Amino acid sequence: MFSFRSGAVSWSSKKQPTVTLSSTEAEYRGATIVACEVVWLQKLLSDLGQSVDAPIIIYCDKHQ
């Protein structure tokens, strides 16, 4: 889920399209997808006149 100020901007829940050999590799792939969406959202906000000055924190944790 991505939030901006006090509201949710977007969210997604789906299976990864690839098979990984370890849970660590799966987490890296998931984080990569998230990082790509962060860049896209930053560009969108910039186009709308909203600058994002604070660092973007990506939380990644596997569920057992």
Side-chain angles (χ1 to χ4, degrees):
M1 182 203 49
F2 291 93
S3 61
F4 181 68
R5 297 195 178 149
S6 63
V9 177
S10 71
W11 66 273
S12 176
S13 177
K14 61 183 176 180
K15 291 182 180 181
Q16 292 182 353
T18 58
V19 176
T20 60
L21 300 177
S22 69
S23 59
T24 302
E25 184 181 357
E27 289 185 32
Y28 279 129
R29 287 180 184 259
T32 301
I33 292 168
V34 169
C36 290
E37 186 152 347
V38 165
V39 170
W40 183 84
L41 285 170
Q42 284 180 316
K43 289 181 181 181
L44 175 64
L45 288 171
S46 176
D47 289 346
L48 296 173
Q50 296 288 324
S51 64
V52 180
D53 298 328
I56 306 299
I57 300 171
I58 298 173
Y59 295 100
C60 183
D61 185 25
K62 71 174 185 176
H63 298 283
Q64 296 179 346

